Amino acid sequence: MITGTWPLIRLALRRDRIRLPIWLVLLVLIPSVTPPSFAALFPTDAARASYAAGLAANPALVSIQGPIYGTDLGALSAARVLTISAVLVALLSVLTVIRHTRAEEEAGRRELLGATVVGRHAGLAAALTIVVGCDVLVAAGVTAGFVGAGLPFAGSVAAGLALASAGVVFAAVAAVAAQLTESPRAATGIGLAALGATYVLRAAGDTGSAPWLSWVSPLGWPALVRPFTGERWWVLALAVAVAVALGAVAFALSARRDLAAGVLPARLGPAAASPALGGPLALAWRLQRGGLLGWTAGFVLAGAAFGGVAQGIEALLESSPDTIELLRQLAGGGDLVDVFLAAEFGILGLLASAFAITATLRLRSEETDGRAEVVLSTAVGRVRWASSHLLVALLGPTLALLGAGVAAGLVRGVAVGDVAGQVPRLVGGALAQVPAVWVLAGLALALFGVLPQWVVGAWGVLVTFLLFGQFGRLLQLPQWVLNLSPFTHLPRTLDGGDIAVAPLLWLLVVAAALVTVGLVGFRRRDAG
Amino acid sequence: MTVAESPIAVSGLTKSYGPTRALDGLDLEVSAGEVHGFLGPNGSGKSTTIRVLLGLLRADGGHTRLLGGDPWRDATTLHRRLAYVPGDVTLWPNLTGGEVIDMLGRMRGGLDRARRAALLERFDLDPRKKGRTYSKGNRQKVALVAALASDVELLLLDEPTSGLDPLMEEVFRSCVAEERRRGRTVLLSSHVLAEVEALCDRVSIIRDGRTVESGSLTDLRHLTRTSITAELASPPAGLDALPGVHDLAVEGSRVRCEVDAEALDGLLRRFTDHGVRSLVCRPPTLEQLFLRHYAQAEPEPAFR
């Protein structure tokens, strides 16, 4: 039944030879740089204790990044990165498992291989093997990173394995999801919904009066392993047991269904198109509306969370003068709540750019999959077709950021009793990200128009800008290098009077220029 | 160029992908109202030619006219007057076949509802299924219905029956025959010889990006060799010296050979000199014609 797994593993690794290494580097790098930067930020025991106390007293922050159990460097680092990195590791698991199981079946490639000496479970076995292998590498890398930063060995191993266990559990969740639906998008949606639900469960458990909620959530387990604060190794066994059980369910379902069919029946759709579906823009909307609604919903939730966290930070500051001093050093002048919110909007700006790139590069996948050819053989011109997806890529992230700003403004406004004042300020702060987001969309379009084989470079650029923002100062990069990133030029304050408008206008000019290059380039090149 | 310009007029078309030369001086002339067969081995440049005609690819050189316009510059306006069925149809996984048919029809600028319904019936296609659930043949049917139900002058069909079963191929043939009766022009790229023979007024055969033959099927038959087996009254001599006689085998008074059409006269005269006891002539089959061109090492000058 699993004959031929090994060739499938090699095939999948060949296909993912760029994608997986990038993921692995990020998944190891993000946790590994945390202890050194915390060591620099909180050099004394007193500073660390103050930070830990402040964090523990701030339910909004705990709901986002997980609980804190101690005051040493290891405990601080684990609290900061474990839960969030676990989400990323789980995300890699879900995407990779679906990519090599259900997506292959839908594309019909699995059928091609199924006729050779490949058992019916081989695809699933290969995907799970690869993901578990990645998780082991993440565990090893994070352990090495933490040990290298001078943290205790046992805690470092526990932290690495805790992250890996989340990856293994969600690989098994995705394996089940892949059996249920015919569509890889729907299967990915099920996996991501499970990810979101478990995250919310543990957020409630970590902050509320029902700590057992964290115990039923696989995303709560990495923190519950308690690296550096009396490791509970048996929690890892719990994760492995759940993963094995889910994996068994997936294999059982796989044995019962036909190739390319799902356990859930496929439904029939309309026999005729609605009158609205008559042009490229309607098609782009139809193809991207699901993603747009998902991103916007996520941004609204994130905005509400940030608005709530800000309230907690004010409370935290009153009780902890040391932390005020530290945050002042980090953020410079200005109202600290504003500085915090501006920083969070900066993160949303990066995420919105990822959305913009995804939406823009839909053009490329439509082209390489041969669907663009049919549309372009009708009276739809190239610029009109490219503009349709570009419009989604420009307006979608804007809408998502607007939603985040409104949600943050409402939550914060209700807390401080000034909805009418907070909503416009925070909407302005969120929308200030838009020019940089559009630059990234423009860059993706320019690559699509001029260097279509290199569109993936847009992701490389975004990751580079992300690293600039997160580690640029730490690595002491020269200012001119940092200036290459559009995010460097965004305001770091919500105080309207202090925002320099000129850089934002320049970013819009750059975005417009990139869009023009992309459209002109696409008009001139071969399509398909 | 005639007074009424041909819907498709291509001469000396070249197109390279990096170092690979996909089209190397291709000629193609399709007259109004004809069904033109477009034949050639895999990778000979048929799809590339059609994509140049659609303005998806930019020609490197040569002269290309489509419906009186420039296929690259005037793509959008020209596309209102044509419909295209790709050889490998991919659909949007979450759109139903019916939605795709309607959407493409609207993008072309109009769809005949009655014809749409009739075609769905004839091709036995369920328009309510999502794109991901269709088989290759059914995806092709979706594209065919969308193209055939559109109000256009020119149909560009790139191996449209490669996924259809024999029953559906028959439906396709009758549909194309109807299109011809309506006066539409069809460029049909195909490997199915019976289909070409049944449908096409004229054919062009290309190989390695060049046109090697073009003309009506009758013309092309003349170009190939007739197989002859004869029993003569006396053993012949000097047959191998005749021009246009190939694969000659003489066993006593028994002769077998392949003869070019223009050499038939001379050979038969020699036969009657010797006295003919029996004679079997086999006309060239299309298969022979195509195989000869498909397998040929060096392209011959184009026939006009």
Side-chain angles (χ1 to χ4, degrees), chain A residues 268-448:
Chain A
L268 293 174
S274 76
L277 187 60
L281 189 58
L283 177 62
W285 162 249
R286 175 72 188 270
L287 296 178
Q288 302 223 29
R289 67 183 177 194
L292 195 152
L293 293 178
W295 278 94
T296 306
F299 269 53
V300 166
L301 284 179
F306 294 150
V309 172
Q311 181 61 20
I313 277 191
E314 257 179 342
L316 160 73
L317 295 182
E318 286 164 11
S319 66
S320 173
D322 279 0
T323 317
I324 295 181
E325 189 54 36
L326 279 165
L327 282 173
R328 281 268 174 231
Q329 283 173 17
L330 259 181
D335 176 26
L336 278 174
V337 172
D338 279 4
V339 171
F340 166 78
L341 282 172
E344 299 299 328
F345 284 147
I347 293 173
L348 287 185
L350 287 164
L351 288 172
S353 304
F355 175 23
I357 292 175
T358 312
T360 309
L361 294 190
R362 189 68 185 243
L363 288 167
R364 182 61 182 159
S365 63
E366 287 284 290
E367 184 187 2
T368 51
D369 291 350
R371 292 185 284 259
E373 185 181 81
V374 183
V375 172
L376 291 175
S377 79
T378 69
V380 172
R382 293 195 183 197
V383 170
R384 195 170 152 224
W385 175 71
S387 304
S388 65
H389 286 282
L390 178 69
L391 203 64
V392 175
L394 295 180
L395 296 186
T398 308
L399 180 71
L401 283 167
L402 178 69
V406 169
L410 285 175
V411 172
R412 175 108 189 96
V414 168
V416 299
D418 179 24
V419 172
Q422 292 295 335
V423 169
R425 287 182 74 235
L426 297 193
V427 165
L431 289 184
Q433 308 293 323
V434 167
V437 174
W438 285 4
V439 167
L440 268 298
L443 177 76
L445 187 79
L447 286 170
F448 167 74

Side-chain angles (χ1 to χ4, degrees), chain A residues 106 182-184 266-280 283 286-287 362 366 369-382 523-528, chain B residues 15-17 51 54-58 72 75-76 79-80 82 84 86 88 90-99 102-104 106-109 113 116 126-130 132-133:
Chain A
E106 190 202 35
E182 286 186 4
S183 146
R267 279 173 304 176
L268 293 174
S274 76
L277 187 60
L283 177 62
R286 175 72 188 270
L287 296 178
R362 189 68 185 243
E366 287 284 290
D369 291 350
R371 292 185 284 259
E373 185 181 81
V374 183
V375 172
L376 291 175
S377 79
T378 69
V380 172
R382 293 195 183 197
R523 269 185 63 166
R524 290 165 175 235
R525 73 170 171 88
D526 289 346
Chain B
K15 174 73 192 171
S16 301
Y17 298 108
R51 285 185 177 151
L54 285 167
L56 295 170
L57 303 180
R58 186 171 213 164
W72 177 265
T76 319
H79 289 176
R80 287 184 192 286
L82 63 83
Y84 163 58
D88 192 4
T90 46
L91 300 176
W92 294 271
N94 52 339
L95 263 64
T96 64
E99 286 179 309
D102 289 348
M103 184 185 74
L104 291 178
R106 287 169 193 163
M107 285 177 173
R108 278 187 192 115
R113 305 298 306 176
R116 176 193 188 272
D126 183 350
R128 294 172 303 163
K129 283 190 168 182
K130 297 277 173 88
R132 74 171 65 85
T133 61

